[in-house]
Amino acid sequence: TQLLEQSPQFLSIQEGENLTVYCNSSSVFSSLQWYRQEPGEGPVLLVTVVTGGEVKKLKRLTFQFGDARKDSSLHITAAQPGDTGLYLCAGDAGNMLTFGGGTRLMVKP
Amino acid sequence: DTEVTQTPKHLVMGMTNKKSLKCEQHMGHRAMYWYKQKAKKPPELMFVYSYEKLSINESVPSRFSPECPNSSLLNLHLHALQPEDSALYLCASSQDWDGYKYEQYFGPGTRLTVT
């Protein structure tokens, strides 16, 4: 079973703070995707990381894929209320797509 | 255009009703998916269609019946559902399907309530 664990499950911070969300597994993934989902809406793809050690930046969001392709992190700099939502990582192990349990982020103004 | 559309946005149905959920994409994607998402949980895969043929059925009860009339459309026919089937039903598509190597784009979902 390819299990993806996300931490923390919940995070409530003030506007302007930095945060990091982690996505960990004992399995190797050929790629890993990060999504953000708002209540009542579908997940929106943020980024896909493919190469071990890869770092991708999307404005204030920085995504990193672990060297061994078993884990990933999402770092948000100077969080804004618009960043509020459910962040999901999803790993592709070739025969199935596994979603992490999600991190629910609330950024207070 | 990276849009996947789903109708209806909300649906309330009784346990004896028959209804259908619809999904459409015009990105030329050849793989389409149905997911079920319960509150505060990640999406769970139900079905995968590749080139209009059913490739994966994740042991979904027969009261859920998928249909892919053409490469742009995906339906989910519902019959004799149970209250525990209430959830957000998400459709997704990807360029192709070769073991999930391609990025998936999700629709906004249909919020289904079974009474």
Side-chain angles (χ1 to χ4, degrees):
Chain A
T1 301
Q2 294 120 358
L3 192 64
L4 264 176
E5 294 189 2
Q6 282 188 243
S7 61
Q9 288 185 317
F10 303 99
L11 191 56
S12 180
I13 61 173
Q14 293 295 134
E15 182 176 2
E17 293 184 11
N18 302 331
L19 67 118
T20 302
V21 176
Y22 299 94
C23 179
N24 295 304
S25 176
S26 57
S27 301
V28 175
F29 295 100
S30 55
S31 69
L32 194 139
Q33 300 168 16
W34 283 94
Y35 294 86
R36 186 176 82 198
Q37 185 177 22
E38 298 189 27
E41 299 292 331
V44 175
L45 180 66
L46 296 174
V47 79
T48 300
V49 286
V50 178
T51 307
E54 182 177 7
V55 176
K56 281 192 173 179
K57 292 193 175 184
L58 187 66
K59 297 183 180 178
R60 294 177 292 101
L61 278 60
T62 302
F63 305 84
Q64 185 164 7
F65 203 13
D67 292 340
R69 291 186 286 127
K70 293 182 179 181
D71 54 84
S72 182
S73 64
L74 158 60
H75 182 79
I76 300 179
T77 303
Q80 299 178 0
D83 295 327
T84 293
L86 176 68
Y87 288 82
L88 293 160
C89 63
D92 157 31
N95 60 348
M96 66 182 297
L97 186 68
T98 301
F99 277 89
T103 294
R104 198 164 295 277
L105 171 66
M106 177 175 289
V107 182
K108 301 175 184 176
Chain B
D1 179 10
T2 57
E3 187 177 21
V4 177
T5 59
Q6 289 186 244
T7 56
K9 191 165 179 61
H10 301 277
L11 178 62
V12 179
M13 61 184 290
M15 290 188 285
T16 59
N17 291 157
K18 287 185 180 180
K19 296 287 184 182
S20 297
L21 308 185
K22 296 184 184 299
C23 174
E24 190 168 3
Q25 58 87 14
H26 293 289
M27 295 178 278
H29 288 177
R30 303 315 300 262
M32 297 184 78
Y33 311 76
W34 279 116
Y35 287 86
K36 174 183 177 180
Q37 187 176 25
K38 301 285 277 185
K40 300 183 180 180
K41 297 289 186 182
E44 298 175 16
L45 182 68
M46 300 174 72
F47 303 103
V48 179
Y49 271 83
S50 176
Y51 289 84
E52 301 159 45
K53 294 191 187 311
L54 184 63
S55 296
I56 289 184
N57 176 342
E58 289 287 348
S59 303
V60 179
S62 59
R63 57 185 184 269
F64 295 91
S65 176
E67 178 197 18
C68 190
N70 60 56
S71 59
S72 300
L73 294 173
L74 186 66
N75 299 322
L76 186 62
H77 302 298
L78 314 173
H79 173 54
L81 295 194
Q82 303 297 312
E84 58 264 29
D85 295 322
S86 299
L88 181 68
Y89 287 83
L90 294 163
C91 173
S93 71
S94 63
Q95 180 183 335
D96 204 330
W97 184 70
D98 180 14
Y100 300 99
K101 293 180 181 177
Y102 298 89
E103 296 171 338
Q104 294 185 29
Y105 295 86
F106 284 83
T110 293
R111 173 71 62 190
L112 174 67
T113 303
V114 182
T115 60

